[in-house]
Amino acid sequence: MSSILDKSLDDIISTRKSQRSQGKKKAVGKGTGKAQKKETVSFKKAAKKVAPQPKPALDLTYATKVVAQGLPRDLKQDAIKEFFQSQIGGVSVVSMNYNEKGQFRGAATIIFKSHKNAVKAVEKYNNAPIDGGSSKLKMELVIDPTKKPLAARITANKTEPVATPQQKKQQVLKQKVQQKRQQLQKKASNGKPKKQTKKTAEQLDQEMSDYFNNN
């Protein structure tokens, strides 16, 4: 108490103003922090609602070619064909890749008769261990658009169906029937008696006076 009394009035007012201003700054800081949290939460909710669009599925109907890499280099073409023929089936052609010296590079292309066999070969032997795990076989499915027939790649424009002779006759008869109906409707409307308009009281009185005068 003695310390407050020793201070002048101006000092006391200035200290209280400074305390109030500090208190307001703290309150404002807390409020902005809450507003920022709300904004981040609303942004997260909006981000959850936006679902990623699914990628279009590839057409594997005409994917019959498989490239095999990592094959043992001492293999022959007949051995590769017999292996995939016995394990998968439906092998059409096997071609091997050689270097300049005529040595097998360990890569071969196997063409199957159906895309189902090609897909099965990749699923069964991709990353398969060779010679006890010393290396792995790499199988890659090749989608060749040239194998797809042109009729399946081009869609014809929609054309209106051509009317047959019988359909044309029916159309002509329908038109004639409609014309006759229209003509009959016009005749009926012209032959109807005209509606009599209601006479006023003055007209009736005039007719009565004319009748008595003439008689």
Side-chain angles (χ1 to χ4, degrees):
M1 295 293 289
S2 60
S3 61
I4 296 172
L5 293 172
D6 293 337
K7 293 180 179 180
S8 63
L9 184 60
D10 294 333
D11 294 335
I12 293 169
I13 291 170
S14 62
T15 53
R16 288 186 177 180
K17 284 183 179 180
S18 62
Q19 289 176 359
R20 287 178 182 176
S21 62
Q22 289 177 0
K24 287 181 179 180
K25 287 180 180 179
K26 290 180 180 179
V28 171
K30 290 180 181 179
T32 54
K34 289 180 181 178
Q36 288 175 358
K37 288 181 181 179
K38 288 181 180 178
E39 288 177 359
T40 54
V41 170
S42 62
F43 177 76
K44 287 180 181 178
K45 288 181 179 179
K48 288 181 180 179
K49 290 180 182 179
V50 178
Q53 295 182 353
K55 294 181 180 179
L58 295 173
D59 186 9
L60 303 178
T61 308
Y62 303 97
T64 59
K65 185 186 294 184
V66 176
V67 175
Q69 295 180 350
L71 291 166
R73 298 192 177 187
D74 57 348
L75 291 177
K76 302 295 183 182
Q77 185 175 3
D78 294 339
I80 297 173
K81 186 174 182 179
E82 288 176 3
F83 172 78
F84 285 103
Q85 181 66 36
S86 61
Q87 299 298 322
I88 303 298
V91 177
S92 180
V93 178
V94 174
S95 60
M96 302 175 71
N97 192 357
Y98 298 93
N99 59 14
E100 296 176 354
K101 295 180 180 181
Q103 297 174 348
F104 178 49
R105 291 183 174 180
T109 302
I110 304 101
I111 299 176
F112 293 88
K113 294 179 181 179
S114 66
H115 72 282
K116 292 182 180 179
N117 290 336
V119 173
K120 184 180 177 182
V122 174
E123 291 177 351
K124 189 174 181 179
Y125 290 107
N126 187 32
N127 292 324
I130 299 174
D131 294 335
S134 60
S135 62
K136 288 186 177 181
L137 180 63
K138 299 293 182 182
M139 302 282 288
E140 184 179 1
L141 185 67
V142 179
I143 300 173
D144 190 1
T146 60
K147 298 296 181 181
K148 192 173 183 179
L150 191 60
R153 299 175 67 181
I154 298 177
T155 303
N157 296 324
K158 292 183 179 180
T159 56
E160 295 181 359
V162 179
T164 60
Q166 292 180 353
Q167 291 176 347
K168 290 180 179 179
K169 288 181 180 178
Q170 290 177 357
Q171 290 177 358
V172 172
L173 289 173
K174 285 181 180 180
Q175 291 177 356
K176 288 182 179 179
V177 170
Q178 289 178 355
Q179 290 176 358
K180 286 182 179 180
R181 285 179 180 176
Q182 291 176 357
Q183 291 174 0
L184 291 172
Q185 288 176 356
K186 287 181 180 179
K187 287 181 180 179
S189 61
N190 293 328
K192 287 181 180 179
K194 295 182 179 180
K195 292 182 179 179
Q196 295 180 355
T197 58
K198 291 183 180 180
K199 295 181 179 181
T200 61
E202 293 178 355
Q203 290 175 346
L204 292 172
D205 292 339
Q206 184 66 35
E207 287 181 358
M208 290 291 291
S209 62
D210 293 339
Y211 176 77
F212 285 115
N213 291 328
N214 293 325
N215 292 327

